[in-house]
Amino acid sequence: MATIHDVRRELASLADPRRAEASSRFLQMVAGGYGEGDRAIGVSVPEQRKVAARYWRDLTLAETTRLLSGDVHEERLTALFILVRRFSTGDERERGQIFDTVLANTRHINNWDLVDSSAPYIVGPWLLDRDRSVLDRLAGSSLVWDRRIAIMATFAFIKVGDFEWTFRLGDRLLHDPHDLVRKAVGWMLREVGNRDRAAEEAFLARRYQVMPRVMLRYAIEKFEPRRRREYLSGAV
């Protein structure tokens, strides 16, 4: 049976120094960047998904958690792909364990791609019919990744037509200091609008003039050009 060492060895065999350099820039793994201190080895996301598909049945939850705490970015993302697969097929007990594992390891889910590959597929789905107060705790965290997890988890609610928590956390994070949270809030508002334009515009009506520009631009990205101009000029 395969182990964490097999996963690490296969990822290492797929490493590409040129891709690693590009990934480091793209994910700001540079001095002063939000990913500073992280390390990429240059494995593409499709290749990571293939590795996860080969090993997700073999790795125990404990081993996958060890992979998630590794010092290589691609190892952590592959671990999350494995957890998502296990969550989607697991029983109630395993799904709960995976949810708890993710929340206990948010310090390792430390870039936007890691958050976006897990929060909407594990955190949100687990909370669909449960107490969601943990999202308030995450939204109040000093860790930017916790706050992005909170708003991105609501994608699962949006998909079933439930917008309450997107709006609730959107209000709470309206003036978040970090661009990655502002963009995520705008993105989730856009997803609401893709399903219920009137609901999104009702939320924007009392907030668009004070919300950060990048959040607004993300939120109205799919609007007609004329309507976008009205929002951006404050003429709504």
Side-chain angles (χ1 to χ4, degrees), residues 168-189:
R168 174 178 175 148
L169 296 180
D171 266 333
R172 183 161 186 181
L173 299 170
L174 196 67
H175 299 293
D176 194 275
H178 206 291
D179 253 13
L180 288 177
V181 176
R182 295 177 176 186
K183 290 176 180 178
V185 171
W187 177 10
M188 291 302 100
L189 291 174

Side-chain angles (χ1 to χ4, degrees), residues 120-192:
Y121 308 107
I122 295 174
V123 180
W126 179 254
L127 296 175
L128 270 174
D129 55 358
R130 293 178 175 82
D131 176 20
R132 301 175 183 178
S133 58
V134 65
L135 297 181
D136 278 326
R137 177 180 66 78
L138 290 168
S141 171
S142 61
L143 188 65
V144 61
W145 311 117
D146 282 351
R147 303 197 303 276
R148 184 160 174 127
I149 286 170
I151 189 64
M152 289 302 301
T154 71
F155 203 170
F157 312 155
I158 294 169
K159 289 176 180 177
V160 296
D162 179 355
F163 311 140
E164 177 187 356
W165 276 78
T166 302
F167 293 153
R168 174 178 175 148
L169 296 180
D171 266 333
R172 183 161 186 181
L173 299 170
L174 196 67
H175 299 293
D176 194 275
H178 206 291
D179 253 13
L180 288 177
V181 176
R182 295 177 176 186
K183 290 176 180 178
V185 171
W187 177 10
M188 291 302 100
L189 291 174
R190 184 178 74 223
E191 291 298 334
V192 169

Side-chain angles (χ1 to χ4, degrees), residues 11 27 43-46 48-49 52 67-68 72-84 108 112-118:
L11 288 173
L27 296 170
V43 183
S44 71
V45 169
Q48 291 177 68
R49 289 189 183 277
L67 191 65
L68 179 59
V72 174
H73 186 89
E74 290 89 344
E75 290 182 3
R76 298 198 299 284
L77 184 53
T78 300
L80 290 169
F81 289 151
I82 289 171
L83 290 176
V84 168
H108 301 305
W112 59 263
D113 61 329
L114 304 176
V115 172
D116 299 357
S117 297
S118 55

Side-chain angles (χ1 to χ4, degrees), residues 5-26:
H5 303 295
D6 297 303
V7 177
R8 284 176 165 158
R9 184 161 46 246
E10 184 157 350
L11 288 173
S13 74
L14 296 166
D16 180 341
R18 287 178 298 180
R19 185 183 295 275
E21 184 177 353
S23 295
S24 295
R25 291 194 303 270
F26 182 58

